[in-house]
């Protein structure tokens, strides 16, 4: 057995089922080894940003890692910006990056580069395996490390792949890291605060605390204490919609988030951090909370947030713990309901506006859909308007690296073949990883993509005034305009094998969207806004 | 004047004329400052690989830097793989990367990352400017450093852009670095070797030594001494074709390059390094020269290679120096001519094969064209067959980062608006930076793109056997196949505003190619092979 085969056996043994790949010469033995490992499937991306983005989407849905296979420094480099988002999403991922054979590196052949150095800013764990015999152990370490929501990057020189792993006998087990512990003193402090001044307290939920079980525990606490539930602005995945607890997302712009947060003089963090502005702006605060706000960390990043919330629920007492959520919420009548009811907005019609799109979307999301939202300025009201849609998973931007929704959508679809995936993408953002569409077609993924074509970088037009530029000239104007020439998304999509149409009214959009949902396989709709 | 304005003034003052850009919020002041600086033009790319690749092409043609403008860590990351090629091309480039305002970084907002760390493996020089007042000096340093064929990356926190540069009075001058010197002892050693054993000696030319003046000096030396002229396999730009000295490129595959190099027991390096295999392969050598080959470094990397060759020409004496090249070459009759004559291959016809394409191309290249060749397996014979084409500049792959020809072509066209640019691209490679086509359309660049569509990663199929995998299964097969679905390059191209056609015979190709050359503006031809 060679080193490559020992790698694949170790991946399969430890539950890795998918390897998103864009391989090259130095990875050929790993590619060949795929056929000797029944448990690991290869999925090709034509660009590495698609590969690492898809692995992010896969892990966001399943809370387990996929592997990636990348080609030396430049191949890894093309995947880094998707890794940045994955880091911020606290995604589990195992990257396998080929390198030159050890004895070849010192010759400084053209493809030689500092691969470890390139990966380190965008990984939690980086290691180069020195020999065929070390691959299996290193791969098990990489998998184990990744399981707590981390990015592992393992560099494998080509000779470690083709050499004989003569000391290998069986695949080692990945060691699951011990999770960060919940401290009773932190639970007691948060409980005391809530009992003392619940209505002036917000519980800020982030990361994996935005899943239904955690949200229900948090909702019981809120019902019992009068606290407000907040969600971090950039969450990897939120389970929401009808029948699930509602939670208010901290807005992206500075002013409304400051306005929201001044209602609280204490924040309790559950898998979340103190909220700060996305960008700095002249004469605007970077810290969004009111001066003097007290911070309580109930559940540190990566800890068992469900346990923490259940402990807190019990600690705040008041008959809440153990009761059904509906009873608890029933006892808080007079405040707005904490459980969302199914109540989509009235169906709009005619020409398309952002507001009409939000209303339409609220009724269009099918039950159990996975919704990825990179609609940026077009979708400013999508999140709020879909709070009472059918229950769905909502995947958001996490690290600010543009163009994530198309690749992350591929991985989400592969993770969950029985669910419909809806990708809400803006035309500017969609051009960073458009190759994702080819993987949609190759794998016949059940994805409906809406491209919102305003034909400009509208967000940057808004940001010009935010950073204090009152007016700007034609050169600057030209760098914010992507309408000359207009991108024809229908042609682009056809070019990569995904059926596509263009719509200009809500009725056309609704017709094509429902047709896309009714079929299996991908479909793209360019929405002129 | 704010820091951003001092930057643009410094760029313009020091000869920077083009800024390839994909900016974001933290770069808005730099964008706005463009309109206050008449000497610097902004060119938008929809993806950062296009931006840094275009800057590479610009510098390869003009031997001077363009600037780029990139958005924090993820924006820079998307440009890194083009930077890898630019590093290996010894390109001059000045990257400007925005970052969060200094006081905002410690808050760890979502877009925060180690930007210096990300850039360092792919830059020669990295610096973060601490204040508005330091920008001008730092920018002049970045420009100066880049002038010797280096990549400078300057990180500018957003507040350095918007703050007042109150100590700024005028733009500082970039200091041109002193070049590496040519040592008389090295000239004498090379001359002695050539006099002693010219026919068993090769002069290996690389980098800027593949320009006409250097080639002519080298050809005089070869004519006088019987030495052979070789070119490095991966050269940034070679001036070649009718009327220029011929030079034999070291082949990419291991076996023929070893066979070629065993004819010499000494190599003289002129802006080149000892030749090594691109990849390591089991049971094949990584060092391509015969054991015991002696190495002479006449002109170190980055030195004045023309001066070195002229010194050597004088040192080898024999009446060569000062003579016209034609006379010198005339004196070497009996050996194959050292100056290429115009002699394209006979025009082929009918269905398209690689061999016919090479023959067709040899007659199709118009005088003074810029040819970018990333045709990979389809173009295995393009270089040899075009040695006697009309004079042209030939730009090749340098660092092995895939997908370079489309973006580098954009920069080459912008550098040289009076010349025709021909991009020879393979379908697999073209999918790494396809967004380049949009910039072609936006800027109405005079580029004819040929996409050679074999619908597979043919190079990797070849490499499978090179690395010792005799046969491989369906999963591996699937990762080397990009024909399911087939990419429709005509649709893709139309989607980005570039007129396109598909051809299946040499006659159709010739017709559409000539039509593309006759028009101004871009045109794409998908060539089914």
């Amino acid at each position: 057995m060679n080193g490559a085969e020992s790698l694949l056996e170790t991946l399969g043994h430890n539950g890795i089922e998918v390897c998103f790949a864009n391989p090259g010469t130095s990875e050929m033995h790993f590619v060949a080894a795929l056929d000797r490992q029944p448990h690991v499937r290869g999925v090709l991306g034509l660009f590495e940003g698609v590969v690492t983005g898809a692995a992010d989407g896969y892990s966001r849905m399943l809370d387990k890692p996929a592997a990636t296979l990348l080609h030396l420094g430049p191949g890894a480099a093309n995947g880094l910006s998707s890794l940045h988002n994955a880091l911020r999403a606290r995604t589990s991922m195992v990257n396998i990056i080929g390198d030159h054979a050890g004895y070849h590196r010192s010759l400084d052949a053209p493809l030689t580069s500092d691969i470890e150095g390139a990966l380190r800013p965008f990984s939690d764990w980086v290691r180069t395996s020195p020999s065929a015999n070390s691959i299996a152990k290193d791969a098990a370490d990489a998998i184990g490390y990744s399981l707590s929501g981390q990015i592992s990057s393992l560099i494998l020189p080509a000779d470690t792949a083709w050499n004989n792993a003569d000391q290998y006998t069986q695949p080692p087990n990945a060691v699951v890291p011990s999770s960060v512990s919940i401290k009773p003193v932190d639970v007691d402090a948060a409980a005391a605060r809530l009992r003392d001044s619940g209505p002036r307290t917000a519980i800020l939920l982030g990361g994996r605390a935005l899943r239904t079980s955690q949200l229900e525990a948090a909702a019981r606490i809120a019902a019992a204490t009068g606290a407000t539930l907040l969600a971090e602005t950039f969450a990897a995945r939120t389970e929401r919609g009808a029948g699930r607890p509602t939670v208010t997302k901290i807005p992206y712009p500075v002013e409304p988030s400051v306005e929201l947060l001044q209602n609280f003089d204490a924040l309790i963090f559950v898998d979340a951090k103190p909220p700060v502005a996305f960008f700095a702006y002249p004469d605007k605060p970077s810290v969004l909370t009111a001066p003097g706000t007290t911070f309580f960390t109930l559940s540190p990043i990566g800890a068992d947030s469900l346990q923490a919330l259940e402990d807190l629920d019990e600690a705040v007492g008041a008959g809440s713990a153990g009761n059904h959520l509906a009873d608890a919420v029933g006892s808080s009548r007079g405040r707005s309901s904490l459980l969302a009811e199914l109540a989509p907005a009235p169906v709009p019609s005619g020409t398309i506006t952002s507001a009409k799109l939000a209303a339409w979307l609220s009724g269009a999301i099918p039950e159990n859909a996975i919704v990825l939202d990179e609609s940026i300025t077009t979708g400013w009201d999508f999140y709020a308007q879909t709070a009472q849609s059918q229950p769905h998973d909502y995947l958001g931007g996490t690290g600010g690296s543009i163009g994530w929704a198309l690749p992350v959508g591929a991985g989400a679809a592969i993770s969950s073949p029985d669910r419909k995936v809806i990708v809400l993408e803006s035309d500017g953002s969609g051009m960073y990883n458009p190759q994702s569409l080819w993987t949609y077609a190759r794998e016949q993924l059940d994805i409906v993509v809406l491209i919102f074509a305003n034909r400009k970088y509208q967000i940057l037009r808004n940001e010009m005034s935010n950073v204090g530029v009152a007016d700007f000239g034609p050169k600057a104007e030209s760098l914010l305009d992507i309408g000359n020439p207009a991108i024809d998304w229908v042609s682009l999509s056809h070019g990569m094998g995904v059926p596509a149409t263009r719509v200009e009214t809500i009725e056309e959009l609704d017709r094509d969207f429902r047709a896309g949902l009714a079929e299996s396989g991908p479909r793209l709709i360019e929405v002129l806004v």
Side-chain angles (χ1 to χ4, degrees), chain A residues 262-325:
Chain A
Q262 73 187 3
N263 295 312
F264 312 107
D265 36 43
L267 260 57
I268 298 173
F269 301 118
V270 184
D271 214 5
K273 298 190 308 175
V276 298
F278 194 78
F279 287 112
Y281 303 99
D283 309 319
K284 294 188 187 191
S286 283
V287 171
L288 301 175
T289 43
T293 301
T294 308
F295 294 159
F296 296 84
T297 296
L298 173 68
S299 186
I301 303 291
D304 181 344
S305 57
L306 180 57
Q307 185 65 54
L309 286 161
E310 286 176 346
D311 290 354
L312 180 60
D313 185 22
E314 193 168 306
V316 295
S320 165
N323 285 2
H324 285 295
L325 177 62

Side-chain angles (χ1 to χ4, degrees), chain A residues 64-364:
Chain A
K64 62 176 256 183
T68 71
L69 185 59
L70 304 168
H71 185 50
L72 288 93
N78 280 334
L80 294 178
S81 117
S82 290
L83 283 189
H84 175 81
N85 283 332
L87 271 181
R88 295 283 171 175
R90 301 167 213 150
T91 279
S92 295
M93 195 185 308
V94 175
N95 300 304
I96 308 293
I97 304 99
D99 193 4
H100 285 315
Y103 60 87
H104 197 75
R105 276 195 61 85
S106 61
L107 299 174
D108 196 38
L111 253 174
T112 309
S113 65
D114 177 6
I115 306 180
E116 285 198 5
L119 283 161
R120 210 166 279 121
F122 301 99
S123 306
D124 297 290
W125 181 100
V126 178
R127 186 183 293 173
T128 301
S129 208
S131 74
N133 281 313
S134 59
I135 285 186
K137 170 66 165 59
D138 287 337
D141 287 353
I143 296 166
Y145 194 86
S146 79
L147 293 175
S148 60
Q150 311 275 320
I151 312 280
S152 299
S153 292
L154 177 60
I155 300 163
L156 298 181
D159 51 346
T160 66
W162 72 56
N163 281 343
N164 190 11
D166 52 5
Q167 293 160 29
Y168 176 86
T169 52
Q170 57 184 30
N173 294 320
V175 177
V176 183
S178 58
S179 67
V180 184
S181 62
I182 308 298
K183 294 188 187 141
V185 62
D186 292 335
V187 175
D188 292 344
R193 163 72 206 187
L194 285 168
R195 277 190 301 260
D196 188 53
S197 189
R200 291 288 297 171
T201 305
I203 301 174
L204 177 55
L205 305 155
R208 295 187 187 176
L210 292 164
R211 309 291 166 77
T212 304
S213 300
Q214 283 88 332
L215 288 168
E216 287 180 352
R220 286 194 299 268
I221 297 164
T225 64
T228 296
L229 299 187
L230 298 180
E232 62 183 359
T233 312
F234 299 97
R237 176 161 72 89
T238 305
E239 294 177 350
R240 63 195 295 264
R244 290 170 175 168
T246 56
V247 52
T248 300
K249 189 167 74 168
I250 298 174
Y252 173 87
V254 172
E255 291 82 354
S257 52
V258 168
E259 190 180 320
L260 169 66
L261 289 166
Q262 73 187 3
N263 295 312
F264 312 107
D265 36 43
L267 260 57
I268 298 173
F269 301 118
V270 184
D271 214 5
K273 298 190 308 175
V276 298
F278 194 78
F279 287 112
Y281 303 99
D283 309 319
K284 294 188 187 191
S286 283
V287 171
L288 301 175
T289 43
T293 301
T294 308
F295 294 159
F296 296 84
T297 296
L298 173 68
S299 186
I301 303 291
D304 181 344
S305 57
L306 180 57
Q307 185 65 54
L309 286 161
E310 286 176 346
D311 290 354
L312 180 60
D313 185 22
E314 193 168 306
V316 295
S320 165
N323 285 2
H324 285 295
L325 177 62
D327 299 340
V329 172
S331 73
S332 71
R333 294 219 182 273
R335 303 176 62 237
S336 64
S337 170
L338 289 167
L339 278 191
E341 289 173 17
L342 182 65
V347 181
S349 65
T351 55
I352 292 171
T353 64
S354 286
K356 285 191 202 174
L357 277 173
W360 168 81
L361 183 67
S362 74

Side-chain angles (χ1 to χ4, degrees), chain A residues 227-500:
Chain A
T228 296
L229 299 187
L230 298 180
E232 62 183 359
T233 312
F234 299 97
R237 176 161 72 89
T238 305
E239 294 177 350
R240 63 195 295 264
R244 290 170 175 168
T246 56
V247 52
T248 300
K249 189 167 74 168
I250 298 174
Y252 173 87
V254 172
E255 291 82 354
S257 52
V258 168
E259 190 180 320
L260 169 66
L261 289 166
Q262 73 187 3
N263 295 312
F264 312 107
D265 36 43
L267 260 57
I268 298 173
F269 301 118
V270 184
D271 214 5
K273 298 190 308 175
V276 298
F278 194 78
F279 287 112
Y281 303 99
D283 309 319
K284 294 188 187 191
S286 283
V287 171
L288 301 175
T289 43
T293 301
T294 308
F295 294 159
F296 296 84
T297 296
L298 173 68
S299 186
I301 303 291
D304 181 344
S305 57
L306 180 57
Q307 185 65 54
L309 286 161
E310 286 176 346
D311 290 354
L312 180 60
D313 185 22
E314 193 168 306
V316 295
S320 165
N323 285 2
H324 285 295
L325 177 62
D327 299 340
V329 172
S331 73
S332 71
R333 294 219 182 273
R335 303 176 62 237
S336 64
S337 170
L338 289 167
L339 278 191
E341 289 173 17
L342 182 65
V347 181
S349 65
T351 55
I352 292 171
T353 64
S354 286
K356 285 191 202 174
L357 277 173
W360 168 81
L361 183 67
S362 74
I365 294 174
E367 190 173 351
N368 206 29
I370 301 167
V371 179
L372 296 96
D373 186 3
E374 196 176 24
S375 55
I376 318 267
T377 50
T378 300
W380 60 272
D381 206 24
F382 285 3
Y383 186 85
Q385 289 295 320
T386 54
Q388 294 182 280
S389 295
Q390 292 282 3
H392 63 279
D393 281 18
Y394 178 95
L395 277 60
T398 54
S401 178
I402 304 291
W404 62 270
L406 285 173
V408 173
I414 284 168
S415 79
S416 310
D418 297 332
R419 301 177 66 175
K420 292 289 178 184
V421 175
I422 300 166
V423 171
L424 307 170
E425 185 64 280
S426 47
D427 55 352
S429 302
M431 286 303 288
Y432 288 77
N433 290 299
Q435 306 92 337
S436 308
L437 295 175
W438 185 87
T439 298
Y440 290 15
R442 156 68 66 101
E443 301 290 334
Q444 282 298 297
L445 302 177
D446 259 355
I447 303 179
V448 179
V449 183
L450 305 187
I451 299 284
F452 302 110
N454 61 12
R455 296 175 176 169
K456 48 180 106 72
Y457 288 150
Q458 181 60 43
I459 183 80
L460 296 183
R461 299 178 69 92
N462 302 349
E463 293 288 60
M464 271 286 191
S465 66
N466 282 331
V467 299
V469 179
D471 61 336
F472 46 93
K475 287 199 219 172
E477 179 80 46
S478 152
L479 292 185
L480 309 186
D481 159 44
I482 63 169
N484 172 27
I487 297 159
D488 176 346
W489 277 94
V490 174
S491 286
L492 269 188
S493 189
H494 285 154
M496 288 180 276
V498 173

Side-chain angles (χ1 to χ4, degrees), chain A residues 503-525:
Chain A
V503 301
E504 299 190 42
T505 66
I506 293 289
E507 289 83 351
E508 292 168 357
L509 168 60
D510 194 64
R511 177 197 65 206
D512 290 359
F513 182 77
R514 287 179 197 285
L517 289 180
E519 300 158 2
S520 66
R523 157 91 64 132
L524 181 143
I525 304 169

